[in-house]
Amino acid sequence: MCCRNFNFKCARKSQCRFILKIGRALTTGSATNIVLTNGASACNVFWVVERAVSISASTVLKGTIIANKGVVFMGANGTFEGRLFATTGAISFGPGTAYMPLSCSYLDFGTSATFVRFTSNGAVSNNANSYLTGDIGTKLGDISGFEYSSANGSLFKPASTTVAITSKALATLSIYQN
């Protein structure tokens, strides 16, 4: 990203949707701050990235990230309001804070709406103490590093009774990836 502060300003309060389609990897600088003003909401910001996503330390990021064919990494002391999805790749986070945006009503994510992190093919890991609100899951991979974190949500691991739910989440994710 180009700037320390990146502003999304809504011209017609709550009618804005920001879709950033990035044909390569996305890397933020340290302490990048996404600022939403004039009714812009994390519910309305979508980052569709064709490779890896690397969110540097102390970054404040907002929106839904859909990483296709790449890992998602969020550095230490970051704050993320939104969802981290990966179609093929691991998700590594923290330590930091991640939570779901509130009052997202116009876009139906189906079963995946409750996930703060989900990957269809890769591990989901957490580093040190993080604070997470939302479900965490993987269809193919391991989930690790949450023993010292505060997670307000469920962990969905492969080959458990939750596989049907994560499969539905994968189907929903593939719709938005295209």
Side-chain angles (χ1 to χ4, degrees), residues 14-163:
S14 76
Q15 299 297 317
C16 299
R17 287 165 191 75
F18 302 94
I19 302 171
L20 292 89
K21 189 167 183 178
I22 302 165
R24 61 182 135 205
L26 170 65
T27 301
T28 69
S30 181
T32 297
N33 187 23
I34 301 301
V35 179
L36 304 175
T37 60
N38 201 32
S41 164
C43 297
N44 304 343
V45 179
F46 301 91
W47 308 80
V48 182
V49 184
E50 286 302 316
R51 297 284 180 251
V53 176
S54 180
I55 304 163
S56 296
S58 303
T59 292
V60 175
L61 198 64
K62 299 177 182 183
T64 296
I65 291 178
I66 302 172
N68 188 31
K69 301 176 193 154
V71 300
V72 178
F73 170 79
M74 183 151 185
N77 304 316
T79 301
F80 186 78
E81 179 184 4
R83 298 171 179 90
L84 295 173
F85 294 136
T87 59
T88 307
I91 299 174
S92 179
F93 186 88
T97 302
Y99 57 96
M100 304 289 292
L102 299 174
S103 303
C104 296
S105 60
Y106 72 90
L107 184 60
D108 181 9
F109 272 96
T111 306
S112 62
T114 62
F115 284 87
V116 70
R117 289 192 247 161
F118 182 83
T119 179
S120 60
N121 187 5
V124 179
S125 63
N126 189 67
N127 303 314
N129 296 330
S130 292
Y131 302 93
L132 309 161
T133 301
D135 296 333
I136 299 159
T138 178
K139 185 175 178 204
L140 297 170
D142 190 29
I143 295 178
S144 63
F146 292 91
E147 50 275 348
Y148 301 110
S149 294
S150 173
N152 183 9
S154 299
L155 298 177
F156 292 87
K157 297 180 179 183
S160 69
T161 57
T162 59
V163 170

